[in-house]
Amino acid sequence: MRNIASRDEYVPQHSSRYETKGTSLRGLADARIRGAKIAAIGMLALAVIILGITAKIYASERMAHSDASTVQTQNKKVPESKVTASQTLSTANLKTGLSKPDFNDIPSGDTVQTFSLVDDQILALEDENLAALQNALDQAQELGDAGVVFYDLSSGKGVTYNADVEVYGASSYKALYALYICETLVESGQVPLDGPLATYGGYSMGWQTVRDLIENAVVNSDNDSFIALRAAFDHDGYEDWIANLGVDDETALDPMSDFPTYCPRTSARLWREMSEYLSMDTETSQWLSGLLASTSRSFIRDGIADEQVLVRNKAGWISEDGYYSTCDAGLIDIDGRTYVMSVMTSMPWSDRSSEVTAAIAKALFDTRAALA
């Protein structure tokens, strides 16, 4: 039986549509020679016309070559600085130093610990950074359980606290389910993004497209769109996808729960898979990257509050019917490096819990110098 208790608030938005304009070509009329008496003049005129046509063709080829070169040059341009959260970052050059990291090596326990997924190096945090992180976690513990994982994708070094705490993830899982659809079904050609859906599993989708449903679920945190996607695609390989990523019952994730309870360790594992998918730089992966950079709510983005940083995330929040959660997880890009961050708490959602989650995100982000 699925758990559909979570009902996050959202503000509907609409996507933009673009049109591409074409161009047309005009034919040139052939010169006619009128008679034998003006043969010499006709031949001269014909020569002039031929020379004109040749010049025009040459000029056109030069222009076409110039336009093609311009397009190629523009396509090679990549933003180097001041990437804002509303911009889509191409991750074609994303480099992860970890081919198959073992997330079981992330330590557990209710003390702040550092770790490395590639060696046995012991990291040391600055006293100021450690104190700020511990203070933010203590504030969270006054309102509920809390757990975090934060690590550098390139170095494999990170910081954690209570990595295995089980928390109701609420809407934080919507982005990860979108990853499953895009990576497994859309990229393989099984499901077209712009294909309309009528009804699945008794849920009326109003002939919305898969694209619209994913956008509403990820950007606006629309529960109805998310439930419709689950009803449509749970039986197309979802459980196998979860299992192949090494996620099992021990890591606290029930794949058949619409809004599952899981832990920061599992969250970090799945967001690492997200980074791998976005690095494919396909049309669909970059579209999803743009959605994640435009989420309507981000405690991580609020905490960092820096326009130089790109945050691609999905938060979850709820305080009703016995379900309590204030969570956020995602990818953070700055200075050519990418970090995975997961902050999961059972704090009932409120302005206070939102501020505390943002403070945890800021404190984690400030430890990044030790993770290089």
Side-chain angles (χ1 to χ4, degrees):
M1 172 89 62
R2 286 183 181 146
N3 181 351
I4 57 173
S6 177
R7 287 292 180 267
D8 295 350
E9 297 179 357
Y10 65 93
V11 178
Q13 297 179 357
H14 300 282
S15 60
S16 299
R17 305 297 182 199
Y18 299 91
E19 296 179 356
T20 303
K21 296 181 179 180
T23 58
S24 60
L25 298 175
R26 293 183 177 179
L28 295 176
D30 294 332
R32 295 181 177 179
I33 302 176
R34 296 182 176 180
K37 292 183 180 180
I38 55 172
I41 298 176
M43 290 297 292
L44 178 60
L46 181 59
V48 171
I49 291 173
I50 291 173
L51 288 173
I53 292 173
T54 302
K56 186 171 183 178
I57 291 174
Y58 176 74
S60 298
E61 290 176 346
R62 286 285 303 275
M63 182 63 71
H65 177 74
S66 176
D67 291 343
S69 299
T70 300
V71 171
Q72 291 174 359
T73 301
Q74 291 173 344
N75 287 340
K76 291 179 180 177
K77 291 182 179 179
V78 177
E80 296 179 354
S81 62
K82 297 185 177 180
V83 181
T84 65
S86 62
Q87 291 175 312
T88 303
L89 177 68
S90 175
T91 53
N93 295 321
L94 177 64
K95 302 298 181 183
T96 61
L98 313 172
S99 57
K100 291 291 182 181
D102 188 351
F103 285 86
N104 292 326
D105 289 341
I106 296 176
S108 60
D110 57 357
T111 58
V112 175
Q113 301 179 69
T114 58
F115 63 88
S116 174
L117 297 177
V118 295
D119 54 40
D120 296 327
Q121 182 178 358
I122 298 177
L123 314 178
L125 300 181
E126 296 289 339
D127 291 342
E128 181 180 355
N129 293 335
L130 179 59
L133 177 56
Q134 189 63 64
N135 179 60
L137 290 168
D138 288 344
Q139 293 181 55
Q141 295 281 22
E142 294 175 1
L143 302 173
D145 294 328
V148 304
V149 170
F150 176 63
Y151 81 100
D152 185 325
L153 273 173
S154 297
S155 70
K157 300 173 183 178
V159 182
T160 187
Y161 174 87
N162 247 1
D164 295 311
V165 64
E166 298 182 12
V167 172
Y168 181 68
S171 289
S172 65
Y173 197 69
K174 290 171 180 173
L176 300 173
Y177 194 79
L179 168 63
Y180 153 66
I181 295 174
C182 293
E183 181 180 51
T184 303
L185 304 180
V186 176
E187 295 291 356
S188 67
Q190 296 180 60
V191 173
L193 270 181
D194 294 311
L197 300 176
T199 59
Y200 271 88
Y203 291 91
S204 174
M205 303 181 192
W207 292 101
Q208 296 183 70
T209 65
V210 175
R211 182 188 300 275
D212 290 338
L213 290 170
I214 291 177
E215 180 172 346
N216 284 332
V218 172
V219 177
N220 304 320
S221 206
D222 178 11
N223 289 315
D224 292 336
S225 295
F226 177 61
I227 297 299
L229 290 168
R230 294 296 305 263
F233 302 122
D234 270 6
H235 303 292
D236 293 336
Y238 168 58
E239 290 185 86
D240 291 339
W241 178 76
I242 287 291
N244 289 336
L245 292 178
V247 178
D248 53 36
D249 292 340
E250 294 180 1
T251 53
L253 172 65
D254 176 7
M256 296 315 294
S257 172
D258 282 331
F259 297 90
T261 293
Y262 58 119
C263 63
R265 186 191 305 272
T266 295
S267 174
R269 186 193 302 267
L270 293 174
W271 276 97
R272 200 264 182 187
E273 179 67 17
M274 179 75 80
S275 76
E276 287 291 292
Y277 173 62
L278 299 186
S279 71
M280 291 173 58
D281 200 28
T282 65
E283 181 179 352
T284 300
S285 70
Q286 291 311 293
W287 168 75
L288 180 58
S289 177
L291 298 186
L292 296 170
S294 306
T295 50
S296 60
R297 187 184 298 277
S298 174
F299 307 123
I300 294 175
R301 197 175 295 128
D302 292 344
I304 295 174
D306 186 342
E307 67 175 10
Q308 305 290 330
V309 181
L310 178 69
V311 175
R312 290 169 289 177
N313 81 297
K314 184 66 192 78
W317 60 95
I318 190 174
S319 180
E320 62 179 68
D321 299 331
Y323 292 92
Y324 305 120
S325 178
T326 309
C327 301
D328 205 352
L331 304 173
I332 301 171
D333 292 86
I334 181 173
D335 297 333
R337 303 184 80 90
T338 301
Y339 303 84
V340 170
M341 180 183 290
S342 176
V343 180
M344 301 190 70
T345 84
S346 62
M347 293 186 292
W349 176 58
S350 65
D351 289 343
R352 175 58 179 160
S353 65
S354 299
E355 293 171 357
V356 171
T357 305
I360 294 173
K362 176 63 165 61
L364 286 171
F365 181 71
D366 287 345
T367 67
R368 67 191 184 281
L371 311 183

